[in-house]
Amino acid sequence: MIYHIPWIYTPVRTVLAIWHQLTKTEIPELAKCSVLMRERSRVEETIYAMQRAGAGSLQVISDFDMTLTRFAHNGKRVATTHNILDNRLLINEDCTKKMRELLNIYYPIEIDASRSVEEKLPLMVEWWTKVHELLIQQKIRKDLLAQAVRESSTMLRDGYKVFFDGLAEHQVPLLIFSAGVGDVLEEVIRQNHVFHPNVHIISNYMDFDHTGVLRAFKGQLIHTFNKREGALSHAAGLRELQGRPNVLLLGDSLGDLTMADGVSEPQNVLTIGFLNDQVEERKETYINSFDIVLVKDETMDVPNAIFRYITSSRDNK
Ligand code: TMP
Ligand code: MG
């Protein structure tokens, strides 16, 4: 009865809506114990603002290795794009040995919580440069890459199809920003049937000669800690990303946080960090750096739930 009086109806409706928002867990996935947040209220406000703005204002920027791909499966590490090349079809035993030695030296440095980014930077350049030189010496054949991907242990995270298909369906651009090998990355998503037209990739691409043999890597080298430069020089110029000031950023390395630095006039940026390895040592830094930290979560459940909420009808809220 009282609802029929407009000057009472409107404030009551507003209060009810706020109450509803405060009490109801809108995204139950955020309540999982593997989800850590420094400031839950800021996360929720950002998600609500993104939902109000709608899918047309959103872009998703994601790292690839160990972010869109799993870290491990059945207790075994899953191959990164570089490690997919570790196949006798493409490289010899000696090269495998050398690449593994380099991985054992430099990967612990990459994830070492006690070293600064400044300290890691030249060492990452050293690692990538040495690996790329080794790969070039192997005269890798372009036509064998697809078979190497098929034979590898690589796996996208559980729920990847919902993620890629959902973004495509809502025409939200997905920028995959990877320090891995672009040609291999493309083949992984192609073989998983999710290389949709809304996907854009910035990565290290191989340069093949006219016979299809690897002779160099194209352009400026991308490693884990120089993504900011790539963001400013490449991502900023991508027409498909213009006019989308809301960003959902996914990564597994602190270096991934700079992937959105090319976005002009960002409004709402929500960063999600997968903490796969060295959990106790890095937990605090990750919580202080990403808005949401997912601890040893091999799924896309949380990004999918957030995206589902953002694209849900505003009338139902
Ligand atoms: P990302 O930017 O897509 O995550 O790719 C970078 C990852 O690749 C980084 O975390 C380390 C990994 N990597 C290897 O696994 N093997 C290698 O030889 C190199 C150079 C990098
Ligand atoms: Mg990564």
Side-chain angles (χ1 to χ4, degrees):
M1 203 44 196
I2 200 164
Y3 280 162
H4 294 291
I5 308 167
W7 61 269
I8 291 184
Y9 173 81
T10 310
V12 165
R13 207 184 110 128
T14 310
V15 168
L16 282 177
I18 292 170
W19 178 249
H20 175 76
Q21 210 163 64
L22 287 174
T23 54
K24 193 176 148 217
T25 312
E26 308 252 14
I27 305 173
E29 285 79 356
L30 289 180
K32 290 205 297 192
C33 57
S34 54
V35 179
L36 306 176
M37 285 177 267
R38 180 179 70 253
E39 234 185 307
R40 174 183 281 271
S41 57
R42 200 197 92 82
V43 167
E44 289 176 348
E45 277 159 26
T46 308
I47 296 172
Y48 298 149
M50 287 175 158
Q51 193 265 343
R52 282 194 300 276
S57 299
L58 181 70
Q59 57 176 296
V60 178
I61 304 181
S62 180
D63 168 56
F64 190 72
D65 288 311
M66 296 177 270
T67 295
L68 292 178
T69 58
R70 291 179 68 114
F71 177 72
H73 181 59
N74 291 338
K76 282 187 76 181
R77 288 289 297 271
V78 164
T80 59
T81 49
H82 278 97
N83 295 344
I84 288 171
L85 299 170
D86 180 5
N87 182 314
R88 278 302 155 268
L89 282 172
L90 306 174
I91 66 174
N92 63 27
E93 219 167 295
D94 183 51
C95 183
T96 291
K97 191 168 156 278
K98 285 181 177 151
M99 273 177 73
R100 288 195 189 157
E101 279 166 10
L102 292 171
L103 184 75
N104 292 337
I105 296 169
Y106 291 102
Y107 175 67
I109 298 174
E110 183 192 344
I111 63 165
D112 187 345
S114 69
R115 292 184 197 236
S116 68
V117 170
E118 290 70 34
E119 202 182 330
K120 292 178 186 186
L121 237 147
L123 298 167
M124 294 301 106
V125 175
E126 220 172 81
W127 182 16
W128 259 257
T129 308
K130 284 180 182 168
V131 167
H132 287 186
E133 275 166 8
L134 283 172
L135 293 172
I136 292 163
Q137 284 166 11
Q138 295 298 303
K139 303 195 181 316
I140 288 176
R141 276 173 49 192
K142 185 179 166 68
D143 61 347
L144 294 176
L145 288 182
Q147 193 182 339
V149 170
R150 271 193 296 276
E151 291 177 4
S152 76
S153 65
T154 190
M155 271 178 99
L156 295 169
R157 282 185 195 270
D158 290 3
Y160 76 89
K161 206 158 165 45
V162 170
F163 178 77
F164 278 89
D165 291 356
L167 295 179
E169 187 194 327
H170 288 90
Q171 295 174 11
V172 171
L174 167 62
L175 172 64
I176 302 179
F177 202 144
S178 171
V181 182
D183 310 74
V184 177
L185 185 169
E186 285 194 6
E187 195 51 40
V188 173
I189 58 174
R190 194 175 294 121
Q191 289 185 14
N192 282 285
H193 311 289
V194 289
F195 197 174
H196 301 313
N198 63 319
V199 175
H200 308 277
I201 300 164
I202 298 177
S203 189
N204 297 303
Y205 275 91
M206 292 170 148
D207 187 7
F208 297 98
D209 68 15
H210 69 283
T211 64
V213 168
L214 178 65
R215 63 170 177 195
F217 277 81
K218 293 178 187 168
Q220 185 99 40
L221 174 78
I222 303 172
H223 59 77
T224 335
F225 293 105
N226 73 347
K227 291 192 174 181
R228 181 180 155 75
E229 282 98 280
L232 294 172
S233 57
H234 299 299
L238 278 173
R239 191 175 41 81
E240 293 83 353
L241 308 183
Q242 306 301 315
R244 292 176 177 268
N246 295 341
V247 183
L248 194 59
L249 181 147
L250 314 180
D252 76 295
S253 160
L254 294 176
D256 295 330
L257 284 162
T258 62
M259 295 188 303
D261 286 7
V263 179
S264 64
E265 299 181 41
Q267 277 171 15
N268 300 288
V269 179
L270 189 73
T271 59
I272 302 179
F274 287 92
L275 181 50
N276 303 309
D277 202 3
Q278 297 270 309
V279 171
E280 286 315 314
E281 295 84 341
R282 299 196 292 169
K283 198 185 263 178
E284 200 186 329
T285 319
Y286 269 55
I287 292 174
N288 288 328
S289 309
F290 289 94
D291 298 314
I292 300 176
V293 178
L294 305 176
V295 179
K296 289 199 174 290
D297 178 352
E298 294 285 10
T299 76
M300 294 300 284
D301 291 353
V302 169
N304 283 343
I306 292 171
F307 183 67
R308 201 181 313 123
Y309 184 87
I310 294 173
T311 52
S312 60
S313 163
R314 269 163 276 184
D315 305 335
N316 298 334
K317 301 291 157 199

